[in-house]
Amino acid sequence: MPAGLFATCLVNIARPQIGLAAAKTLDLAGADWVFPRGQTCCGQPAYNAGFRAQAAAAAAHCARVFADCEKVVVPSGSCCGFLRKHAPGLADVAGDSVTVLAAKCMELSEFLLEKEFVPPPRKTPLAAAFHDGCAGLRELGIKKGPRKLLAQAGVTVSDIPECEVCCGFGGAFAEKFGGISAALADAKCENILAAKTNTVLAGDAGCILHIEGRLSRLRKPVQVLHWAQALFDSGGETNG
Amino acid sequence: MQTAPVSFAARAKKALGDAAMRGAMAEVKGKFISARAQAAAEYGDFESLRERGKQIREQSINEMPALLRQFEQNAQAAGARVFWAANAEAARKITVAAARHHNAKLAVKSKSITGEEIRLNGALEKAGIKTVETDLGEFILQLAGEEPFHIIAPAMHKRREEIAKLFAQNNIGEGGEDIAALTRSARKHLRAQFLAADIGITGANFLFADIGAAMIVTNEGNGRLAATLPKVRITIAGIDKIVARFSDSADLLALLTRSATGQKISNYVTVASGARNGDCNDGSEEGPRHHYIILLDNGRSAMRKSEMREMLRCIRCGACMNHCPVYHAVGGHSYGPAYMGPMGQVLIPALRGINYMPDLPHAATMCGACEVVCPVKIPLPGLMRKLREKQVKEKTRPFAESAAVFLWTFVCLRPRLYNFAAAAMAMFLRLAGGGSKVRRLFFLPGWFSARDLICPPGRTLAQMLKKENR
């Protein structure tokens, strides 16, 4: 059975470049993979808003879509964290399929490391500073994996100060509590500027759009990429 | 069910504009974090200790009624009188009645969050009993007329200049902004209060059922003075403070002080039971003649039978707020009375009802920093989510939010519709951003109040991969 790539909503709509980079790593890793067309949202937004039945329905749909996949590869710590750690708790409504799905879900770096993937070295040098997304870090224990892959690709990776502190995104939180969320983002931006870097790397489109959006509003010329994009000179968007 | 006068969002908005507070927080926040991290590392297997703490506190909750009866028996046998207060009003009445019975005019109080919860000071003042807070931080706040900002460091947001001004206005000390001199002035002032006080009021960190004694932990020694100098002592404690065995105190203390301030142990740990009765023939005059212990329920029994049960494990160390980025941004006055930070976001709705401050359990990014440092492993984000689920079940969420979730779910269960909507949204964002960035969108005012959206390519990943024949 092939592995299934789960785009996640934010990547699909707002940052497909991350998905292209992830796809490229899967190809280079020699993985047998598919992109199931029926995929939609994992259900996390409804879950965190307290709408348990709706979250269960979305998670069960996700389980159906990936039923024929051996693994589900997710380039996002929070969507993967939801499916793996929280969705099984919805089995009373969603049925056992969500428990089966949970066991199959892997964050991209976990899958690549299991495949013993070694990225080819970049041609152009890149120095970047890492921000650890909360869900990936605390729900899945993602920390060293992406850094290892980046180092193998020749990226010089440092940590931004307080790299494990939340950037303030929190899904609907950023909309419901825009001011508080911005205050958290400001603390993050200060640390990024203190790191004196041109490139920030993270593992979640949520954090990426949020940090980059605040930096842009503050007119700070720092780019924010998914770590998978940084593995390639072209950001993974072309075959170059 | 009570309704709060102001929402969390409104309070937080005001706090975000308080430059002095935010400056103080930026300076202090890292200190608690590094102190706790170092203390946990030095201890060794702190994770096992957390598990042990969880087990001790689970036993407290499981056997709570029996343990409380055991505590009552042992405390009464030692000479204390135990009262049961079903709610805040009952606890206030018992306290005032006890004070009046002894013709008390002056009460000294060591820091008690339970006292804050039941708004005790106001009731005492109203009854004509002057009440003096003796924890330095609480004393400063009493002068300033403010509520605690932090559960163990109530005046952490106050700068020395402000404190010097408060002292000068109240004729305490000889002026100046030297911290050591200010502390000495407060000490001198408070020492006189301790000696003159008719009653001493304390809280309790733990109540040990097997010895019928209360433990208080302080760094200033004011708890011990308040508990031992006046002839009448009143202890007010929530029933959740019960612990089965005194022999568990070592593990609990090791967790509490390391999690709170990073100390191996607090400067003072006071364990006291009963009262000095007439039979003491050691010639000493020391110690209270009367000890009233008030066991406060105020919603805790109901919590024990609810989904919020695990919150009763809390030992009030403050680690959750010390590690909370939202608390760091908005400070302790944005939350409800007495309790703040993640523990407050769960405890306040659990005690006062889900509609008291309805946005409180929503004011979290769910980053999980609180849960991983909680010494008794309370799943704080999970409990906040359960509170949100309860609001949904009780249909108290705004219509727009429910409508958005229902619509979103409807679309998510129909892949062709989803793909169409996603493609339309991707194109819309592309056009709205004019190729560079989106600066404003009417349906996301919160986001665009402070952030841009870098223009997406305009096609979804699904569309792009289709082109490559996936």
Side-chain angles (χ1 to χ4, degrees):
Chain A
M1 281 199 293
L5 176 63
F6 180 34
T8 76
C9 304
L10 288 181
V11 169
N12 188 39
I13 297 166
R15 197 49 51 86
Q17 299 95 318
I18 296 172
L20 294 178
K24 193 167 175 182
T25 60
L26 295 180
D27 283 341
L28 288 173
D32 171 21
W33 68 278
V34 294
F35 184 82
R37 292 285 151 191
Q39 61 179 278
T40 60
C41 171
C42 62
Q44 186 185 194
Y47 181 66
N48 278 339
F51 291 79
R52 212 166 168 271
Q54 287 70 21
H61 171 79
C62 197
R64 277 194 299 278
V65 168
F66 288 97
D68 294 332
C69 294
E70 192 184 352
K71 298 282 183 197
V72 180
V73 184
V74 195
S76 152
S78 81
C79 306
C80 186
F82 165 72
L83 288 175
R84 199 151 95 199
K85 297 287 174 180
H86 297 278
L90 299 170
D92 58 321
V93 190
D96 288 339
S97 65
V98 290
T99 314
V100 177
L101 174 66
K104 296 197 288 193
C105 283
M106 297 184 87
E107 190 271 342
L108 179 62
S109 70
E110 294 177 311
F111 182 79
L112 294 175
L113 289 170
E114 194 188 75
K115 287 273 168 199
E116 298 181 347
F117 170 62
V118 179
R122 287 173 56 104
K123 292 186 187 77
T124 51
L126 178 69
F130 210 92
H131 159 75
D132 293 283
C134 299
L137 177 71
R138 282 182 274 271
E139 290 181 357
L140 303 174
I142 310 285
K143 178 84 187 179
K144 291 183 183 153
R147 288 173 172 81
K148 184 179 169 186
L149 294 166
L150 287 162
Q152 286 168 337
V155 181
T156 310
V157 190
S158 59
D159 289 341
I160 67 168
E162 300 181 2
C163 63
E164 295 187 0
V165 174
C166 180
C167 72
F169 175 61
F173 177 82
E175 176 56 34
K176 284 185 197 168
F177 298 93
I180 304 173
S181 167
L184 270 61
D186 282 345
K188 185 56 66 183
C189 291
E190 262 179 48
N191 281 322
I192 287 169
L193 296 177
K196 300 200 186 305
T197 182
N198 298 319
T199 306
V200 172
L201 302 179
D204 241 299
C207 314
I208 292 166
L209 294 172
H210 187 239
I211 295 171
E212 152 191 285
R214 186 61 186 158
L215 285 167
S216 164
R217 185 60 63 94
L218 297 172
R219 299 179 183 282
K220 304 294 179 195
V222 180
Q223 65 169 347
V224 188
L225 299 174
H226 191 282
W227 56 262
Q229 294 176 281
L231 296 177
F232 307 105
D233 296 280
S234 60
E237 286 173 60
T238 64
N239 292 324
Chain B
M1 226 174 261
Q2 300 159 287
T3 310
V6 194
S7 70
F8 176 85
R11 290 191 191 200
K13 195 176 172 189
K14 196 174 151 212
L16 286 172
D18 183 347
M21 179 278 283
R22 296 193 64 191
M25 285 299 279
E27 232 172 85
V28 188
K29 67 178 186 187
K31 290 179 185 163
F32 279 116
I33 295 173
S34 54
R36 187 250 174 218
Q38 198 186 337
E42 280 172 9
Y43 181 86
D45 192 359
F46 201 65
E47 286 312 297
S48 298
L49 187 64
R50 287 176 71 221
E51 183 57 33
R52 172 90 189 108
K54 176 184 168 181
Q55 297 308 329
I56 294 170
R57 296 294 289 146
E58 272 299 306
Q59 186 188 6
S60 297
I61 304 171
N62 288 336
E63 302 168 17
M64 192 174 282
L67 291 175
L68 287 167
R69 279 193 299 276
Q70 190 191 355
F71 173 85
E72 179 185 32
Q73 262 177 14
N74 289 330
Q76 310 234 79
R81 291 191 62 186
V82 177
F83 292 84
W84 301 76
N87 52 39
E89 197 193 346
R92 288 193 298 260
K93 274 188 178 160
I94 296 165
T95 311
V96 169
R100 280 199 172 136
H101 178 72
H102 294 283
N103 291 318
K105 299 278 179 286
L106 176 64
V108 282
K109 204 159 151 270
S110 83
K111 185 157 66 69
S112 162
I113 307 291
T114 312
E116 299 288 342
E117 178 187 324
I118 64 170
R119 304 258 183 226
L120 183 61
N121 289 11
L124 287 167
E125 296 284 344
K126 217 169 139 191
I129 301 150
K130 193 180 172 215
T131 308
V132 179
E133 292 286 353
T134 62
D135 171 89
L136 180 57
E138 286 275 0
F139 176 64
I140 292 165
L141 294 186
Q142 195 174 31
L143 295 178
E146 282 182 32
E147 295 192 2
F149 188 87
H150 185 280
I151 201 162
I152 61 159
M156 72 182 279
H157 62 303
K158 288 275 177 232
R159 290 182 171 272
R160 79 163 91 175
E161 299 80 19
E162 258 182 285
I163 295 165
K165 217 166 133 189
L166 278 170
F167 278 24
Q169 283 164 357
N170 289 276
N171 295 319
I172 295 160
E174 272 110 52
E177 293 182 356
D178 177 57
I179 290 175
L182 287 169
T183 309
R184 268 197 304 276
S185 307
R187 183 176 187 273
K188 199 174 157 198
H189 176 86
L190 289 171
R191 197 49 65 99
Q193 311 287 322
F194 279 120
L195 292 169
D198 306 301
I199 54 174
I201 301 172
T202 72
N205 289 89
F206 301 110
L207 303 169
F208 296 104
D210 60 345
I211 59 168
M215 175 184 276
I216 41 179
V217 169
T218 71
N219 276 327
E220 298 165 22
N222 61 312
R224 184 170 298 178
L225 289 172
T228 54
L229 279 181
K231 292 296 166 215
V232 180
R233 176 182 178 193
I234 300 174
T235 298
I236 300 173
I239 54 172
D240 53 308
K241 299 291 175 70
I242 194 78
V243 172
R245 289 169 305 273
F246 182 57
S247 58
D248 284 333
S249 61
D251 284 340
L252 288 173
L253 267 178
L255 276 170
L256 175 62
T257 59
R258 280 177 177 83
S259 301
T261 54
Q263 290 169 288
K264 287 197 180 79
I265 193 163
S266 51
N267 294 350
Y268 295 87
V269 176
T270 304
V271 184
S273 167
R276 167 169 296 274
N277 56 40
D279 303 334
C280 280
N281 292 322
D282 58 4
S284 164
E285 281 296 308
E286 285 165 14
R289 300 268 152 179
H290 307 275
H291 186 184
Y292 301 91
I293 300 175
I294 301 169
L295 300 176
L296 176 74
D297 190 313
N298 209 27
R300 288 163 174 80
S301 292
M303 253 175 89
R304 186 167 166 263
K305 295 183 187 105
S306 78
E307 285 189 315
M308 295 300 114
R309 181 184 177 282
E310 286 176 280
M311 192 61 216
L312 290 169
R313 291 207 295 264
C314 179
I315 59 172
R316 311 286 194 265
C317 68
C320 58
M321 59 196 79
N322 289 343
H323 291 76
C324 177
V326 173
Y327 175 85
H328 290 154
V330 303
H333 288 160
S334 301
Y335 302 80
Y339 303 106
M340 61 290 285
M343 60 86 70
Q345 290 175 270
V346 175
L347 195 56
I348 292 168
L351 290 176
R352 296 183 159 242
I354 192 82
N355 296 322
Y356 175 72
M357 202 186 243
D359 59 347
L360 203 49
H362 295 264
T365 66
M366 299 304 214
C367 78
C370 51
E371 183 173 358
V372 298
V373 295
C374 175
V376 288
K377 295 188 166 183
I378 300 171
L380 289 156
L383 293 181
M384 285 181 221
R385 196 182 292 109
K386 279 183 182 168
L387 288 165
R388 300 175 187 184
E389 286 170 4
K390 202 171 167 211
Q391 290 177 340
V392 169
K393 223 181 274 171
E394 292 178 6
K395 298 194 168 39
T396 60
R397 294 303 301 160
F399 171 77
E401 182 180 297
S402 305
V405 173
F406 287 126
L407 180 65
W408 181 249
T409 312
F410 183 85
V411 175
C412 286
L413 298 179
R414 290 160 182 80
R416 288 174 68 181
L417 179 60
Y418 174 90
N419 280 321
F420 173 78
M425 179 57 84
M427 185 51 75
F428 170 76
L429 291 174
R430 173 86 196 166
L431 296 174
S436 69
K437 56 180 86 165
V438 189
R439 292 171 198 279
R440 208 152 292 286
L441 273 182
F442 68 94
F443 57 89
L444 287 174
W447 174 278
F448 287 101
S449 68
R451 310 152 194 79
D452 297 328
L453 178 72
I454 304 301
C455 208
R459 289 182 306 138
T460 63
L461 180 66
Q463 289 174 304
M464 290 178 169
L465 287 177
K466 205 172 185 175
K467 219 177 148 191
E468 289 181 19
N469 275 330
R470 285 273 174 207

